[in-house]
Amino acid sequence: MMRVFERPESLTEKQMHYCPGCTHGIIHRLTAEAIDQLGIREKTIGVASVGCSVFAYDYFNCDMQQAAHGRAPAVATGIKRVLPDRVVFTYQGDGDLASIGTAEIVHAAARGENITVIFVNNAIYGMTSGQMAPTTLLGQKTTTTPRGRTVHDNGYPIRMSELLATLDGAAYIERVSTHDPKHVMQAGKAIKKAFTMQLEGRGFALVEVLSTCSVNWGLSPQEALEWMRDNMVPYYPLGVFKDVTREEEQA
Amino acid sequence: MTEIIIAGFGGQGVLVMGQLLAYAGMLESKEVTWYPSYGPEQRGGTCNCSVVISEREIGSPIVVEPDAAIIMNRPSLDRFEPMLKPGGILVYNSTLIDRELERTDLRVIPVPANEVADELGNTRIANMVALGAFLEAAKVVSPKSIVESLSHVLSERHHGLIPLNVQALERGRAYQY
Amino acid sequence: MAKVLMKGNEAIAEAAIRAGCRAFYGYPITPQNEIPNYMALHLPERGGVYLQAESEVSAINMVYGAAGCGVRVMTSSSSPGISLKAEGISYIAAAELPCVIVNVMRCGPGLGGIHPSQGDYFQAVKGGGHGDYRLIVLAPGSVQEMADLTFEAFDLADKWRNPVMVLADGLLGQMMEPVEFIDREPQMVPKPWATTGAEGRKPNIINTLDIVPESLEKRNYALAEKYARIADEETRWQEYKIEDADLIIAAYGTSARAARSAVDMAREKGMRVGLIRPISLWPFPSAPFAEAADGTRQFLVVEMSMGQLIEDVRLAVNGRGVVHFINRLGGMVPTPPEIYSKIEAILQGGEVQ
């Protein structure tokens, strides 16, 4: 009998706490699969952040550190600088990376810190009960924008991938989505590439993964996937924003 | 215990003079402290340091009532002249200070430090001329210890100038009160 | 090794490298800049990593990351910067990561000024960050001690898996004094808990989150128990002429230098005065004060703050002696003559508190 599907070695057997319909589980799996495929589990150190993925240290079957809110890129920098031959990744949500941790992520990218960042953008604060995120769309209702996000009160949602891609230190920046199997496959490829970039010593690599929060969006899991496709993807276009290997080929 | 203030413009080598005194004191197995004025006055502004040389443990490195002062410019004279102890030693750079002193209870040694330095071909060693005069007047550390300290205190890129520094010290020592 | 003349800040940096510090993450702030400057120049050539972070916040979290990997690591800052690090310090204490944090205190509150102060005593010994935790806090009183206590801080941090703060001030940092670096080996300990890649072992996790109250309470009790053992073993102080003293001065760091001179001045006039200088501010040396407080003695606390150390002295004296106070603020440093005048007023003028 051929086994066609199994838990990646880089995930623990711990049952995840994520809500039904949440795509964090998929993104964890993609990350773990990439680590397995590259055979780097025993030299990988992950950094969990604060938000829904705060317990990521229980799910990834590798050495893990849990960072203060927004500080994961700084913690990862501290690790990578003293253990440059290890593989270091952060797993951060939109509040962590695009709000409280903007200084840390921008400067990690600017330094070309040789780490891999998995950035999960679901346009809302899930953990704290559905408040506005820096990536909440205009008009989107959250518990702190009960009449919908307005430019007047809250300004515009931040496109982090585009912003970070302007920095010379960034080696690879891609935005992917998880709204259907095809896009999940592409997300997996991007995450693997982001780890490969680190192994090749190319510098800062980030994959922004669009993700759902059906509970706080007030939608069923299926509706949430569709909402993400119809509303998030148009504002947060998918694709590669920076890839130094591609630039090299073109040159 | 001898408490010394050295003051002037930033860039006149005031901090180095203090360090040389402290280092020489250390070489002579004395207790020493050196404490700079610090802050946004890195260059150009007035600058001073306190040096204490003592036979026993030094409490405060901050000098409030100096036994001696080396004053390299006019603003520093205005500030520190009133603070000196009665009978204290005041070495001052007469090239840059044209006013009469107000105190009459001090041992005063005017030294045309910049003129002498210019004669020696490098205006930046005016500090060593003044220090030389001070050594002769105060006798707090020996000139030999100061010369020995030069290679420790000056950064390596200035070691080529040590002979000139020694020459300037010697010229300064000739200015006695 | 022969004595060298060095700034206190430089002595800290050199001692840290000798103690095996192999990573420094910092951010510039006066009056501690000679520490990162020295590290940037010397650490890389001696096998370490120097990195200027984008902020104090980031720097302390880099320390967290490197400490979690088992490397001897350090950061330094001055008062406002330490406030920014407070969050990270709480995490480091909670995760029981060894590291050394230097605070070269300047005067506050707010941006305050750049001159010496002891206004961060509470922040250092009573918390600073959120939650129940303790830092081991060492207070040097000379450039020699800047070196010696920094070296010791690294050993203590590893021994107890606890952050250690060296609490100095702008005067000690900027002052030059002779210093001798004694050849000694750092006390390295194995760190099987470090995250270095789970090669052939179960993963290690560095974590401060525990949302199950029963479980977190256990963790908190374990910390409390560790802190009690540290208090038993690591309390440090220096006594000066206290045996026959009618008046005992309490002061640490820069204040203690001036106080010691004032003690000598008073002794020369026949007044029986002594000094207890706490060297570990946490754990606080309560015992010598409690022993000295036999009901016949008075105490005088000298501080460059509005009165912070005095609270611990009062707790230790526990009502068995009047505790007087003299201070300077705003970057001013108490002078031996002004402390002496206070002593005279207490002992001869019968000054009551």
Side-chain angles (χ1 to χ4, degrees):
Chain A
M1 192 178 74
M2 193 176 78
R3 187 178 284 206
V4 294
F5 188 83
E6 63 184 343
R7 181 176 51 77
E9 198 190 357
S10 295
L11 282 184
T12 65
E13 290 178 37
K14 179 107 176 169
Q15 191 182 340
M16 291 183 188
H17 70 287
Y18 297 113
C19 306
C22 173
T23 43
H24 260 307
I26 291 174
I27 303 163
H28 278 31
R29 185 184 174 87
L30 295 174
T31 305
E33 281 175 353
I35 293 170
D36 279 7
Q37 286 163 16
L38 295 166
I40 53 174
R41 188 186 70 83
E42 292 193 332
K43 63 171 191 172
T44 294
I45 302 160
V47 183
S49 61
V50 171
C52 286
S53 60
V54 69
F55 294 113
Y57 57 80
D58 272 341
Y59 306 141
F60 288 111
N61 188 27
C62 59
D63 275 5
M64 293 292 294
Q65 292 198 18
Q66 206 290 316
H69 200 15
R71 319 297 175 222
V75 171
T77 299
I79 298 170
K80 187 72 182 181
R81 291 288 175 126
V82 296
L83 298 175
D85 60 341
R86 309 304 201 282
V87 177
V88 182
F89 77 94
T90 70
Y91 189 103
Q92 303 175 257
D94 45 56
D96 196 88
L97 183 141
S99 187
I100 196 167
T102 43
E104 284 76 8
I105 197 68
V106 165
H107 285 275
R111 286 191 302 266
E113 212 62 59
N114 193 27
I115 59 171
T116 301
V117 176
I118 312 300
F119 166 38
V120 179
N121 177 3
N122 64 3
I124 205 157
Y125 281 67
M127 176 76 124
T128 47
S129 69
Q131 292 86 354
M132 181 187 69
T135 51
T136 290
L137 297 176
L138 290 176
Q140 188 182 339
K141 286 185 179 174
T142 70
T143 52
T144 50
T145 53
R147 288 166 288 279
R149 178 174 184 160
T150 66
V151 170
H152 179 270
D153 286 346
N154 313 110
Y156 295 92
I158 299 183
R159 294 186 183 94
M160 286 305 291
S161 287
E162 287 85 336
L163 190 154
L164 294 170
T166 64
L167 299 171
D168 290 343
Y172 173 64
I173 309 272
E174 179 167 356
R175 184 183 289 120
V176 294
S177 177
T178 51
H179 64 265
D180 63 26
K182 183 182 140 215
H183 285 88
V184 169
M185 300 278 281
Q186 177 53 34
K189 277 186 201 155
I191 289 171
K192 187 176 172 187
K193 173 146 185 176
F195 278 102
T196 307
M197 299 296 279
Q198 182 177 167
L199 291 170
E200 292 172 357
R202 291 181 183 276
F204 184 84
L206 175 143
V207 180
E208 176 176 348
V209 189
L210 300 184
S211 176
T212 60
C213 183
S214 61
V215 169
N216 285 301
W217 290 355
L219 301 171
S220 73
Q222 181 57 36
E223 289 167 344
L225 291 171
E226 289 161 7
W227 191 89
M228 174 162 66
R229 179 195 63 206
D230 297 340
N231 296 278
M232 286 186 71
V233 174
Y235 192 86
Y236 297 110
L238 308 182
V240 176
F241 295 92
K242 183 85 182 275
D243 182 351
V244 291
T245 57
R246 207 179 276 180
E247 287 162 17
E248 275 169 23
E249 278 165 26
Q250 283 163 358
Chain B
M1 188 164 76
T2 309
E3 298 182 295
I4 307 156
I5 292 267
I6 305 164
F9 291 123
Q12 279 186 308
V14 161
L15 300 182
V16 167
M17 293 157 83
Q19 286 175 19
L20 285 168
L21 283 171
Y23 207 101
M26 180 178 80
L27 290 178
E28 294 177 7
S29 298
K30 292 173 174 135
E31 299 285 336
V32 297
T33 60
W34 172 94
Y35 184 60
S37 59
Y38 65 91
E41 46 198 16
Q42 294 261 320
R43 295 280 183 278
T46 59
C47 167
N48 71 79
C49 63
S50 307
V51 175
V52 182
I53 301 176
S54 173
E55 299 297 332
R56 57 184 207 188
E57 203 164 323
I58 297 165
S60 178
I62 297 174
V63 173
V64 195
E65 203 187 359
D67 300 293
I70 309 174
I71 300 299
M72 296 298 287
N73 68 356
R74 169 79 187 262
S76 299
L77 183 70
D78 293 345
R79 180 169 168 196
F80 292 108
E81 186 189 355
M83 288 169 62
L84 275 155
K85 267 189 200 136
I89 298 169
L90 172 61
V91 173
Y92 74 93
N93 180 5
S94 58
T95 313
L96 298 184
I97 296 170
D98 53 4
R99 81 162 165 83
E100 295 294 313
L101 300 188
E102 281 164 20
R103 297 274 296 264
T104 53
D105 57 346
L106 302 173
R107 293 162 61 195
V108 178
I109 303 104
V111 187
N114 283 78
E115 274 173 53
V116 175
D118 288 341
E119 282 168 31
L120 291 169
N122 189 337
T123 197
R124 291 186 59 191
I125 54 162
N127 60 340
M128 290 299 145
V129 179
L131 183 61
F134 175 80
L135 290 178
E136 206 51 34
K139 305 215 184 296
V140 60
V141 291
S142 77
K144 187 172 158 285
S145 304
I146 291 284
V147 170
E148 195 181 336
S149 302
L150 280 167
S151 63
H152 299 282
V153 169
L154 299 183
S155 63
E156 247 167 68
R157 63 194 164 95
H158 291 140
H159 281 191
L161 292 172
I162 287 178
L164 186 62
N165 277 276
V166 174
Q167 222 182 327
L169 281 166
E170 287 306 316
R171 286 289 300 272
R173 286 177 64 197
Y175 284 88
Q176 297 191 38
Y177 62 99
Chain C
M1 198 190 143
K3 285 188 175 180
V4 288
L5 189 69
M6 251 185 169
K7 278 193 173 190
N9 284 336
E10 294 167 337
I12 282 179
E14 175 60 28
I17 298 174
R18 285 166 179 265
C21 175
R22 288 300 171 264
F24 181 95
Y25 304 107
Y27 187 84
I29 182 171
T30 305
Q32 61 83 56
N33 291 317
E34 292 80 7
I35 302 175
N37 294 356
Y38 194 96
M39 286 299 198
L41 188 62
H42 295 288
L43 194 49
E45 71 195 20
R46 286 158 78 176
V49 169
Y50 169 85
L51 181 63
Q52 180 167 322
E54 62 271 22
S55 67
E56 284 94 346
V57 176
S58 199
I60 192 71
N61 285 283
M62 291 173 182
V63 168
Y64 178 101
C69 296
V71 170
R72 284 199 164 183
V73 56
M74 162 176 158
T75 188
S76 67
S77 192
S78 177
S79 309
I82 297 293
S83 294
L84 285 167
K85 290 183 195 290
E87 176 203 43
I89 292 172
S90 168
Y91 278 69
I92 288 168
E96 297 191 75
L97 297 177
C99 70
V100 174
I101 301 148
V102 176
N103 182 1
V104 182
M105 287 184 281
R106 56 190 259 182
C107 41
L111 204 46
I114 57 174
H115 290 98
S117 156
Q118 296 180 323
D120 302 346
Y121 180 90
F122 283 158
Q123 185 190 48
V125 307
K126 311 285 182 190
H130 60 281
D132 250 350
Y133 73 89
R134 292 292 192 182
L135 302 177
I136 298 171
V137 181
L138 303 177
S142 63
V143 173
Q144 184 65 53
E145 278 193 353
M146 294 284 255
D148 294 346
L149 292 180
T150 298
F151 195 102
E152 194 163 355
F154 279 94
D155 285 349
L156 287 175
D158 274 1
K159 177 180 175 188
W160 295 101
R161 280 194 64 179
N162 208 72
V164 179
M165 177 174 278
V166 176
L167 190 69
D169 63 54
L171 185 140
L172 290 164
Q174 292 299 321
M175 176 174 61
M176 278 186 167
E177 273 185 323
V179 55
E180 187 171 8
F181 293 95
I182 302 151
D183 269 325
R184 56 195 264 207
E185 284 300 310
Q187 306 282 306
M188 295 296 189
V189 298
K191 297 177 179 175
W193 46 264
T195 58
T196 54
E199 196 175 347
R201 60 160 168 78
K202 285 189 172 169
N204 286 334
I205 298 173
I206 305 293
N207 177 37
T208 66
L209 179 66
D210 195 340
I211 58 167
V212 180
E214 291 82 354
S215 165
L216 183 53
E217 187 186 43
K218 265 186 207 155
R219 213 164 146 158
N220 292 153
Y221 274 128
L223 280 179
E225 193 266 337
K226 178 175 88 171
Y227 297 148
R229 280 186 291 134
I230 295 174
D232 277 349
E233 292 184 35
E234 309 297 357
T235 307
R236 289 157 167 71
W237 72 92
Q238 191 181 51
E239 296 174 357
Y240 184 61
K241 300 183 179 174
I242 65 165
E243 292 76 16
D244 65 339
D246 300 318
L247 176 71
I248 293 178
I249 300 182
Y252 69 95
T254 291
S255 298
R257 296 176 67 102
R260 191 183 161 108
S261 296
V263 166
D264 289 341
M265 290 168 76
R267 286 273 171 185
E268 277 166 23
K269 302 274 180 177
M271 286 179 265
R272 292 196 299 249
V273 183
L275 169 70
I276 297 175
R277 176 171 74 96
I279 295 171
S280 62
L281 302 184
W282 195 89
F284 184 75
S286 298
F289 290 102
E291 278 164 30
D294 57 6
T296 66
R297 288 180 161 121
Q298 302 189 71
F299 296 84
L300 169 61
V301 177
V302 184
E303 280 189 81
M304 286 142 65
S305 83
M306 289 184 192
Q308 301 188 20
L309 169 71
I310 192 172
E311 293 196 2
D312 281 333
V313 173
R314 282 203 178 113
L315 283 170
V317 168
N318 201 16
R320 292 185 302 270
V322 179
V323 181
H324 302 269
F325 185 60
I326 180 172
N327 68 341
R328 293 301 301 266
L329 298 169
M332 299 302 292
V333 175
T335 64
E338 66 195 8
I339 301 169
Y340 171 77
S341 300
K342 182 78 177 179
I343 293 169
E344 206 173 34
I346 294 167
L347 290 181
Q348 297 184 346
E351 180 180 305
V352 286
Q353 192 187 28

